[in-house]
């Protein structure tokens, strides 16, 4: 080759050399920081080598290409040695270096080489090796096995019981279909063989998006279907009835909610249905059709803390319920700042009472409203009982001038009931604020983070089981306690399965609260700002598979090699931040330094809960694997930052940095993300798992959702990848299961409703949604003989999914 100095091709090589020098310098600078923190030396050494390669390229020496090829070879060895052959974990480690290596196969590079050994080979053989290596990254990644997935080759276990529905088998009468919260349908028209034929049958829009006023409200409702009508609550708590076969509106009850102080995260996830017993019907009050008014009724909550009851046939307010069809849930709470107390989950009806709990604003201050649980007569709306954690012996309303105990743990998730045992089952959170425990009272500590069983008629405590001690991580029990009978040592045991944000899955005897499967107190990390209060042990459900997403082969579950990013620079940044933070394993106590905590605030399992096959005794659940970054902010620093409790005025919100007024520390909380918005933990972030509850073994685990709607954030803009490649994206919402052997789930960052094979977890069908499906679907049999599957598509800001106000129904095409 001849000297091409001044030739445009040589100039291009010099420009590339400068770019390569800058890349190497960035690697060396960040890599030096990482190495100083005790991390990998790869980035520092690679940066030095790349800078030397850049100088050689500038000088026209073929040694620059040879050295870069050696860097790539070393990068392959390092990357595969760290993470194996998983495509997604290799991607940020290899893609950047290999893409820059493409320059070495260009005419510009060939024209620039004027010295060095074997220049002809450097211009042909080395580039060929680079090209083959790039192809190898993608080819190897796609064909290699997935270390996070478990495949089932044994088929489904045989049915050992016969499911008996509480109501018409074709209806969906409760939030979880039955009061047990199983999310199971005995319908069999849609099967693994014909599910690919599902088409949109109808779509209904609530009118909440684009929002006419105020912030967009999350649409997370799971509808009910009874006798040909679909019932649900809108994001603004209107109660709507639709024709189940056409989606045409039957009626709409306007809730006229006051949104003052209510954040965009507030939601209404469901309503309850109640048929008044014949002996309690007031036949003197007739509706237009000559039937008793409100003989069947829909009862729903609101984000301004009311309980509504409307006639299921007409949508008229049930005037005999409370005051003109509503109950004020602020009664007995004392001072309530707007937005601090409301009910988001569907009420549960048991023993003739409507049982409601409520969401209390997280992290604002100590003196927040009570987390009291209450029962109201389902016919009259009259107060029946209260369970006040600060005064458990008294189930009455407070006397004038008094109020329920302020600042107690609350219960905000879905509720279950067993009318045979006369109990309702609820999960509890902790006393506000979330991330500090020095102010908490004995009764706060005893009841927080628990499964609680109450007498449905009186509100008296029947038992409780604590899933976490001295919670300072916001690990409230948000999943519905689900009831399923299991065969244990030849005896049928009425069991309760409790999924948790910790990722621990507890199986209890629902009569007593005693563990059915072994629970042990195991040591956990210590320290934090109140080391004297940190529990030395925590309960672990050692016989059940967990949804914590940690690697048992690693001492602390995750380490630096589990970090990720959209680019090599993201990857390096995340590794530095991981090394800078404290991570001693799950439940690392928070301090004034940064900690990583995992599972994070999303879970594990959240309010979407799991679904069950009560005949085959299977649990199917989607769960998250998303760490958070947390630091306690000393009060003087928090004051300087202007952190104050929300006062109920428009624009104030809960989330991110939380003030925690009344304790010595505010809290800085955020997802553990790179500067480009990519997760710092390697995927997957969302999975779906099936567990055989008899053998206590995982039947299968699959990644939940593709990368199609995921991407990186530049400024405030999400740039989607549009790659339909399995990633496993986080989500909120839950699964449902059918007797025909299907699992339906949306609940991810991918805007699709998916049908999975119950036997294998394979995706058999996907229906593209107009917005994020961050809700739990349901299914029913229409009067036209077709089985429908319905999902609310409303999006979710945390999932960065498209917001919307759609209720979408799918069905098989009509027979000719």
């Amino acid at each position: 080759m001849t000297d091409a100095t001044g030739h445009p091709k040589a100039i291009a090589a010099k420009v590339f050399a400068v770019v390569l020098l800058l890349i190497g310098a960035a690697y060396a600078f960040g890599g030096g920081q990482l190495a100083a923190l005790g991390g990998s030396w790869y980035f520092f050494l690679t940066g030095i080598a790349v800078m030397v390669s850049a100088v050689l390229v500038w000088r026209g020496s073929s040694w620059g290409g040879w050295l870069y090829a050696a860097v790539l070879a070393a990068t392959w060895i390092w990357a595969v040695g760290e993470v194996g052959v998983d495509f997604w974990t290799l991607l940020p480690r290899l893609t950047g270096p290999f893409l820059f290596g493409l320059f070495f196969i260009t005419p510009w590079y060939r024209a620039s080489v004027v010295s060095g050994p074997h220049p002809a080979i450097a211009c042909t053989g080395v580039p060929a090796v680079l090209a083959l290596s790039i192809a190898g990254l993608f080819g190897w990644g796609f064909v290699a096995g997935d270390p996070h997935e478990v495949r089932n080759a044994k088929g489904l276990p045989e049915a050992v019981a016969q499911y008996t529905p509480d109501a018409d088998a074709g209806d969906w009468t409760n939030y979880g279909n039955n009061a047990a919260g199983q999310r199971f349908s005995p319908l069999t028209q849609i099967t693994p063989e014909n599910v690919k034929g599902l088409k949109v049958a109808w779509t209904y829009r609530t009118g909440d998006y684009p929002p006419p006023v105020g912030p967009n409200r999350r649409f997370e409702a799971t509808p009910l279907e009874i006798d040909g009508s679909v019932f649900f609550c809108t994001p603004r708590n209107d109660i709507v009835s639709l024709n189940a076969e056409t989606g045409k509106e039957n009626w709409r009850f306007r809730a006229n909610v006051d949104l003052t102080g209510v954040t965009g995260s507030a939601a209404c996830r469901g309503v309850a249905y109640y048929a008044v017993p014949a002996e309690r019907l007031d036949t003197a009050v007739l509706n237009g059709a000559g039937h008793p008014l409100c003989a069947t009724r829909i009862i729903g909550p609101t984000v301004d803390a009311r309980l509504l009851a409307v006639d299921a046939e007409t949508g008229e307010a049930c005037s005999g319920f409370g005051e003109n069809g509503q109950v004020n849930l602020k009664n007995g709470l004392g001072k309530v700042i707007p937005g601090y107390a409301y009910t988001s989950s569907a009420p549960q009806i048991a023993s003739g009472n409507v049982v409601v709990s409520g969401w209390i604003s997280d992290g604002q201050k100590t003196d927040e409203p009570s987390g009291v649980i209450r029962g109201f007569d389902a016919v009259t709306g009259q107060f029946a009982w209260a369970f006040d954690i600060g005064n458990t012996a008294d189930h009455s309303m407070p006397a004038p001038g008094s109020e329920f105990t302020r600042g107690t743990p609350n219960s905000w998730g879905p509720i279950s009931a067993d009318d045979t045992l006369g109990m309702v089952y609820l999960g509890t959170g902790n006393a506000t604020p979330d991330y500090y425990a020095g102010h908490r009272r004995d009764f706060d500590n005893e009841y927080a983070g628990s499964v609680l069983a109450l007498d449905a008629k009186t509100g008296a405590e029947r038992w409780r089981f604590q899933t976490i001690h001295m919670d300072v991580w916001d690990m409230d029990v948000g999943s519905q306690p689900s009831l399923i009978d299991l065969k244990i040592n030849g005896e049928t045991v009425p069991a309760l399965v409790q999924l948790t944000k910790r990722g621990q899955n507890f199986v209890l005897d629902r009569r007593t609260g005693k563990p059915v499967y072994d629970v042990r107190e195991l040591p956990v990390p210590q320290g934090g700002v109140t080391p004297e209060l940190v529990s030395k042990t925590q309960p672990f459900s050692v016989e059940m598979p967990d949804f914590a997403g940690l690697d048992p082969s690693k001492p602390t579950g995750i380490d630096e090699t589990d970090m990720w990013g959209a680019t090599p620079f993201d990857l390096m940044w995340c590794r530095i931040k991981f090394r800078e933070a404290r991570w001693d394993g799950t439940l690392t106590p928070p301090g004034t330094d940064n900690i990583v905590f995992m599972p994070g605030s999303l879970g594990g399992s959240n309010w979407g809960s799991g679904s069950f096959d009560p005949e085959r005794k299977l649990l199917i659940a989607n769960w998250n694997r998303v760490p958070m970054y947390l630091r306690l902010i000393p009060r003087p620093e928090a004051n300087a930052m202007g952190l104050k409790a929300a006062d109920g005025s428009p624009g104030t919100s809960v989330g991110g940095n939380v003030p925690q007024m009344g304790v010595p520390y505010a809290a800085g909380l955020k997802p553990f993300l790179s500067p480009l918005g990519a997760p710092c933990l390697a995927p997957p972030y969302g999975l779906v798992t099936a567990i055989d509850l008899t053998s206590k073994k995982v039947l299968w685990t699959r990644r939940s959702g593709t990368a199609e709607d995921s991407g990186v954030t530049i400024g405030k803009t999400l740039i989607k990848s549009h790659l339909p490649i399995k990633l496993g994206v986080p989500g909120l919402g839950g699964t449902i299961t059918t007797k025909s052997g299907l699992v339906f789930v949306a609940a991810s960052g991918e805007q699709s409703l998916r049908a999975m094979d119950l036997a294998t977890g394979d995706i058999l069908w996907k229906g593209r949604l107009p917005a994020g499906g961050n809700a739990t679907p349901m299914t029913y049999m229409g009067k036209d003989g077709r089985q429908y599957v319905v999902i609310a598509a409303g999006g979710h800001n945390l999932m960065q999914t498209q917001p919307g106000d759609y209720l979408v129904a799918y069905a098989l095409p009509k027979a000719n």
Side-chain angles (χ1 to χ4, degrees):
M1 295 183 181
T2 59
D3 188 351
T5 303
H7 190 279
K9 292 181 179 179
I11 294 174
K14 290 185 181 298
V15 171
F16 173 73
V18 172
V19 172
L20 202 62
L21 183 69
L22 294 175
I23 291 171
Y27 261 54
F29 178 75
Q33 289 182 284
L34 180 60
L37 291 167
S40 171
W41 282 79
Y42 163 79
F43 293 94
F44 177 74
L45 297 176
T46 297
I48 299 297
V50 168
M51 286 193 292
V52 173
S53 174
V55 172
L56 292 170
V57 170
W58 177 275
R59 298 175 61 179
S61 172
S62 65
W63 280 114
W66 284 111
L67 180 56
Y68 198 86
V71 167
L72 293 182
T75 297
W76 259 105
I77 294 169
W78 166 76
V80 174
E82 274 203 333
V83 299
V85 294
D86 178 65
F87 171 75
W88 285 108
T89 51
L90 286 176
L91 194 64
R93 289 167 167 83
L94 301 180
T95 303
F98 279 73
L99 286 176
F100 281 106
L102 289 174
F103 178 80
F104 292 94
I105 68 174
T106 66
W108 299 285
Y109 173 69
R110 289 198 298 270
S112 72
V113 174
V114 295
S115 66
H118 306 294
I121 297 176
C123 293
T124 57
V126 172
V129 171
L130 295 176
L132 289 173
S133 297
I134 294 169
L137 164 64
F138 290 92
W140 195 359
F142 279 116
V143 302
D146 188 336
H148 293 281
E149 292 197 340
V150 176
R151 301 294 181 119
N152 174 38
K154 299 179 181 179
L156 284 171
E158 293 185 3
V160 294
Q162 179 69 40
Y163 175 74
T164 304
D166 295 337
D168 188 308
D171 287 344
W172 190 277
T173 58
N174 286 268
Y175 175 78
N177 196 15
N178 56 11
Q182 293 175 343
R183 279 165 284 280
F184 174 80
S185 172
L187 297 180
T188 58
Q189 184 182 96
I190 303 173
T191 68
E193 292 72 32
N194 66 22
V195 69
K196 289 183 179 180
L198 283 181
K199 304 293 182 184
V200 173
W202 53 260
T203 299
Y204 176 86
R205 299 196 66 175
T206 69
D208 290 278
Y209 186 82
V213 290
N216 179 60
R217 316 225 62 78
R218 294 177 185 170
F219 189 24
E220 299 174 348
T222 298
L224 310 181
E225 191 280 337
I226 298 100
D227 194 27
S229 294
V230 169
F231 304 98
F232 62 97
C233 51
T234 74
R236 286 178 169 79
N237 298 112
D238 290 355
I239 300 176
V240 179
S241 170
L242 306 179
N243 180 287
E245 289 78 46
T246 67
K248 182 179 179 181
E249 187 176 296
N250 295 324
W251 51 257
R252 181 172 185 146
F253 177 84
R254 300 284 179 177
N256 297 318
V257 291
D258 180 358
L259 296 177
T260 302
V262 180
T263 69
S265 62
C268 178
R269 299 191 180 107
V271 295
Y273 171 82
Y274 183 62
V276 178
E279 63 272 16
R280 298 198 65 188
L281 287 174
D282 181 0
T283 56
V285 182
L286 303 179
N287 62 20
H291 301 297
L293 183 64
C294 288
T296 56
R297 55 188 63 190
I298 304 298
I299 300 174
T302 70
V303 294
D304 56 1
R306 290 176 290 146
L307 190 63
L308 309 175
V310 300
D311 190 304
E313 291 191 22
T314 67
E316 299 176 53
C318 296
S319 58
F321 183 90
E323 295 183 11
N324 298 316
Q326 60 182 293
V327 170
N328 185 355
L329 295 178
K330 295 179 183 177
N331 290 336
L333 297 186
K335 181 182 179 181
V336 179
I337 295 173
Y340 269 57
Y342 62 84
T343 299
S344 55
S345 295
Q348 182 60 262
I349 299 177
S351 299
N353 287 327
V354 183
V355 181
V356 291
S357 50
W359 182 91
I360 300 297
S361 176
D362 283 345
Q364 296 299 293
K365 57 181 183 176
T366 54
D367 189 34
E368 295 192 24
S370 176
V372 62
I373 301 160
R374 284 165 287 182
F376 298 90
D377 186 286
V379 176
T380 66
Q382 291 182 349
F383 172 84
W385 54 260
F387 185 79
D388 177 359
I389 285 173
N391 187 11
T392 58
D394 185 357
H395 302 292
S396 62
M397 279 290 288
S402 299
E403 59 188 284
F404 295 117
T405 309
R406 298 187 71 85
T408 56
N410 65 314
S411 175
W412 57 267
I415 307 167
S416 297
D418 184 330
D419 272 340
T420 301
L421 295 175
M423 292 192 227
V424 289
Y425 305 92
L426 310 93
T428 67
N430 53 28
T432 59
D434 283 323
Y435 305 107
Y436 181 80
H439 65 294
R440 294 181 187 162
R441 300 152 295 194
D442 288 345
F443 53 78
D444 294 328
N445 296 328
E446 290 171 6
Y447 282 89
S450 297
V451 188
L452 183 62
L454 303 179
D455 188 293
K457 289 184 178 180
T458 67
E461 179 183 333
R462 300 280 284 271
W463 57 259
R464 69 178 183 273
F465 173 87
Q466 192 163 59
T467 70
I468 184 170
H469 311 317
M470 200 63 70
D471 176 19
V472 287
W473 303 271
D474 191 22
M475 291 289 105
D476 22 350
V477 180
S479 295
Q480 186 173 20
S482 296
L483 317 181
I484 183 171
D485 294 342
L486 299 176
K487 204 83 163 182
I488 310 293
N489 298 324
E491 176 190 355
T492 298
V493 176
L496 178 152
V497 180
Q498 183 63 66
L499 312 184
T500 68
K501 288 167 71 173
R502 283 184 60 202
Q504 292 297 307
N505 301 319
F506 298 94
V507 182
L508 312 174
D509 187 320
R510 66 177 181 266
R511 298 168 296 189
T512 65
K514 302 296 183 183
V516 170
Y517 294 144
D518 194 16
V519 175
R520 297 180 189 172
E521 292 284 337
L522 300 179
V524 289
Q526 300 293 288
V529 295
T530 52
E532 71 281 3
L533 296 179
V534 175
S535 177
K536 297 187 183 305
T537 64
Q538 293 286 355
F540 286 81
S541 184
V542 294
E543 284 192 87
M544 281 286 289
D546 67 53
F547 295 158
L550 301 174
D551 185 345
S553 69
K554 297 182 177 182
T556 57
I558 58 171
D559 58 29
E560 181 194 325
T561 64
D562 293 296
M563 295 302 103
W564 200 68
T567 68
F569 301 104
D570 271 10
L571 173 64
M572 182 169 60
W573 186 92
C574 288
R575 293 174 83 124
I576 291 170
K577 291 302 177 182
F578 180 81
R579 284 286 181 178
E580 287 178 344
R582 183 162 44 92
W583 165 255
D584 300 325
T586 186
L587 302 183
T588 296
T592 54
D593 55 344
N594 287 308
I595 71 160
V596 174
F597 79 96
M598 179 178 172
S601 300
L602 290 177
S605 295
N606 212 296
W607 53 264
S609 315
S611 60
F612 296 80
D613 184 328
E615 298 186 337
R616 299 181 180 95
K617 309 304 179 186
L618 302 178
L619 157 66
I620 307 91
N622 56 295
W623 52 284
N624 293 316
R625 187 174 173 270
V626 181
M628 302 292 284
Y629 218 62
L630 172 65
R631 180 174 78 94
L632 295 182
I633 305 170
R635 183 57 56 197
E637 182 182 348
N639 291 340
M641 294 170 65
L643 294 182
K644 297 180 180 179
D647 61 7
S649 60
T652 59
S653 63
V654 178
N657 291 330
V658 290
Q660 301 199 140
M661 303 296 291
V663 301
Y665 305 93
L669 175 70
K670 57 187 176 182
F672 191 14
L673 302 177
S674 77
L676 289 179
C680 276
L681 181 72
Y685 312 111
L687 300 107
V688 183
T689 295
I691 296 175
D692 185 328
L693 291 171
T694 302
S695 67
K696 294 159 283 184
K697 303 293 184 184
V698 171
L699 191 65
W700 50 259
T701 291
R702 308 301 291 272
R703 295 186 186 226
S704 179
T706 70
E708 184 170 356
D709 298 300
S710 300
V712 296
T713 302
I714 298 179
K716 294 183 178 181
T717 303
L718 173 66
I719 300 175
K720 295 184 178 182
S721 74
H722 299 291
L723 295 174
I725 306 171
K726 282 195 306 180
L727 175 63
V729 284
L732 289 170
T735 63
I736 65 169
T737 301
T738 71
K739 185 171 182 173
S740 62
L742 290 170
V743 176
F744 287 98
V745 61
S748 79
E750 180 189 349
Q751 291 175 202
S752 297
L753 176 65
R754 306 182 298 284
M756 307 177 76
D757 190 324
L758 179 60
T760 64
D762 291 342
I763 302 295
L764 303 177
W765 167 86
K766 287 203 298 188
R768 189 71 178 160
L769 295 171
N774 300 115
T776 303
M778 50 82 76
T779 185
Y780 60 87
M781 183 65 73
K783 290 187 175 182
D784 58 359
R786 290 203 295 168
Q787 182 183 349
Y788 293 80
V789 181
V790 177
I791 178 80
H796 199 288
N797 60 313
L798 293 180
M799 305 296 107
Q800 294 186 308
T801 48
Q802 170 64 39
D805 61 352
Y806 304 86
L807 195 66
V808 185
Y810 296 89
L812 296 172
K814 293 180 180 179
N816 293 329

